[in-house]
Amino acid sequence: MSLPPWRAVVRGARQREGRSPGATWLQLATAASDGTPRVRTLVFRGWSAAGELELLTDVRSDKPSELLSQPRVELCWLFRKAREQFRLRGTAVLVSAEQEPETLLDHWQRLSPSGRMVWAWPSPGEPFHSQGPWPQEVSDDEPISAHLLIMRIALDRVEQLDLKPHPHLRRCWTVQDGWSEQRLNP
Ligand SMILES: Cc1cc2nc3c(=O)[nH]c(=O)nc-3n(C[C@H](O)[C@H](O)[C@H](O)COP(=O)(O)O)c2cc1C
């Protein structure tokens, strides 16, 4: 499978960002069931074999139910050093360990012990109780959390804005046009 041309453009921006942890943080926008917007930060976890963008989340958080009523999402990925922004649109599906045990296990094992802790905490968004449990780590040999979900986003439109050149470079690619590039006014 040949990769869409924007994948190399995103890779270039990621490389310029180096090891900065913020290079994998992106903002995910969804619509709540009443149609009002929601936005929050997530960590980019990689590309699936079929080229979908993969995120990890908690089945108990608000996002999964929002996606059931409106699976269309937009992501905003900012690369500070590169002075580039990508806006990525697509349709999300949620994948559980029951559906794809091996893929979930692979993600679970790639998380660090401290990275796994949030899935062992009480339900996100509920009123805080200090008794928890609030573990700081979940070791490698612990089974996959029943709360772990992959959010897989099939992208259909990608837009780049690069502030380095004069004038700024803005271009987009859509799956509908066979991912051909269109330059836009910045
Ligand atoms: C830097 C950073 C990274 C985050 N990464 C994730 C993540 O990978 N997955 C996730 O579900 N939440 C992540 N969060 C928490 C979300 O932003 C959000 O607070 C949480 O998922 C609850 O969102 P919801 O109530 O809209 O579902 C991260 C937050 C920050 C600040």
Side-chain angles (χ1 to χ4, degrees):
M1 184 188 77
S2 68
L3 293 178
W6 52 264
R7 280 280 295 271
V9 183
V10 173
R11 194 184 322 122
R14 289 186 68 197
Q15 279 166 354
R16 257 166 266 144
E17 219 62 14
R19 287 172 170 273
S20 142
T24 59
W25 297 349
L26 36 76
Q27 270 74 47
L28 168 75
T30 53
S33 56
D34 63 359
T36 58
R38 300 287 183 272
V39 65
R40 78 290 274 162
T41 307
L42 275 82
V43 176
F44 168 77
R45 310 285 176 169
W47 302 103
S48 73
E52 297 122 337
L53 189 150
E54 289 193 332
L55 307 169
L56 293 180
T57 196
D58 189 313
V59 69
R60 302 166 300 170
S61 66
D62 288 343
K63 299 174 261 341
S65 53
E66 289 163 11
L67 293 172
L68 293 179
S69 56
Q70 174 49 276
R72 299 283 303 159
V73 299
E74 186 161 278
L75 300 155
C76 185
W77 201 348
L78 173 68
F79 297 96
R80 285 172 174 73
K81 283 188 201 158
R83 297 207 294 149
E84 286 182 45
Q85 162 186 278
F86 290 85
R87 294 201 286 176
L88 312 124
R89 267 183 226 167
T91 304
V93 293
L94 297 165
V95 182
S96 69
E98 277 175 20
Q99 292 165 298
E100 286 189 29
E102 283 176 17
T103 326
L104 270 284
L105 184 62
D106 183 50
H107 276 288
W108 182 247
Q109 288 173 338
R110 281 192 280 136
L111 287 167
S112 65
S114 62
R116 293 186 195 113
M117 70 183 169
V118 293
W119 283 276
W121 290 353
S123 286
E126 296 288 315
F128 180 78
H129 292 295
S130 58
Q131 67 267 31
W134 304 107
Q136 295 200 353
E137 295 196 337
V138 174
S139 66
D140 292 349
D141 47 18
E142 288 290 323
I144 299 187
S145 162
H147 307 132
L148 184 71
L149 280 183
I150 299 177
M151 192 188 301
R152 203 172 266 161
I153 303 169
L155 298 172
D156 49 58
R157 186 179 190 279
V158 174
E159 186 182 303
Q160 177 200 27
L161 177 64
D162 183 351
L163 301 188
K164 291 187 296 300
H166 181 92
H168 300 159
L169 173 65
R170 180 174 177 179
R171 48 185 172 162
C172 79
W173 299 260
T174 56
V175 73
Q176 207 183 325
D177 295 336
W179 292 127
S180 65
E181 178 185 320
Q182 189 187 4
R183 187 151 180 190
L184 306 168
N185 288 334

